[in-house]
Amino acid sequence: CLYLVLGQDPFGQRKEAPAEERRDAREGDKRPRLSFCYANTDLTNVDLPAKNFQAAAGNFITEIAQGASLRFTRYALGPTLTFPLGNGLSFGASFHGVVTDVDQVISSATMTYQGGAGIGSGLTYLKSGVSVDLAALLGFTWRVSRKTTLGLSVYTPTVPIYGQYAGSEETRAGSAGVNTTVLSVEQGAFRAIMPFRLQAGVGVDLGKLRFEVDAFMALAEGNALRAEGSGQNAEQGRRSVSRNGGAVTVTGTDPFVHSQAASFNMNLAAGAEYFLNRGFSLLGGLYTDLSPIELSPTRPQLSDLLVANRSRMALTFGIGSYGELGDVLFGTEISYLWGKVAAPNHFVVPPNLEWSSLYGMQMLFVLSGSTNIKVLKRAYDQVQTLVTGNDKPKPPATQATPPQVP
């Protein structure tokens, strides 16, 4: 984020103003704040790199090769404007573009054989979609007292601008008596809807100790992800080609609709910061991140837009450093993950997908901070001096003009 304060500094050039005076002036400062921010707001990656297996059952030997990359990413970019309204009340509004990117890849092949006879099968699942939307975030903060602040914000449902989707599914099986391949490809429009969300929190400042508790609620959405094609042309429809032995059957361009819902969702977060002195603090917190995406209750379908979900519970801790040149926070986040992911099942012909449980641990290191333009310019000048070896030229000294003797 880049933050700007609009208006003249209430202290003018009096940087030596007492701390109490500066605090009172800051609390009564009614200058609006403008910021431009970019954020990765949602990220679910399930990467299963290429795996090869060999297993023996009686006289049969089975070779399996498979891999998967299941990604769901959402970005937001836009300005935010805040207005202190007085009496501890502030209003903020953010209008930004939202980009949702979905990439789902599963590829698997197997061969079971005995001597010179055997059967092979394979499965490929590819889904890709991008949705560009507009959204608004509106919120209030109310400083109830010097120690307590309340916050409330609402996130409006997104308004679509652009969306594109492409997908394909392929299954194949071959043996002495079976030799089939089915390939389906589709293209069309894509929409990723962010439902109405409500967030509320309370923060308390007790001097050396600060803590905050927040709650996040999202309403259910029946079409959280939706891909559709009208069937009017190749760019807006579904086509299939199937082969059985040497005979090939081709279907025309048909309309299609795929959608997945998001359930009602509630998450909680809490954090605290304890100051050992004015410039150094210890931080800690925890939060939940439950996935709202609804998956097929029986088994995954090749037409599903998402075939994985992941929830997590995280514990965080770290340190904070504060000074005139800026603030720096460094910490660690440890998460416990659980969910479901689709896996190929080659024990049927043709192969299909089945649900598999997902569990894991994740550690993330976090480094963040804030500074201002003057500090950045000073750092730039210092680096320039270090590289060139020369300080900035000083202006020539002025000399007094000697008086004229009559």
Side-chain angles (χ1 to χ4, degrees), residues 185-196:
V185 296
E186 51 194 18
Q187 287 182 272
F190 182 68
R191 176 90 194 274
I193 301 176
M194 293 180 62
F196 176 86

Side-chain angles (χ1 to χ4, degrees), residues 101-121:
D101 187 21
V102 175
D103 288 295
Q104 308 275 289
V105 178
I106 297 177
S107 180
S108 181
T110 185
M111 180 72 72
T112 300
Y113 59 93
Q114 178 188 23
I119 182 172
S121 63

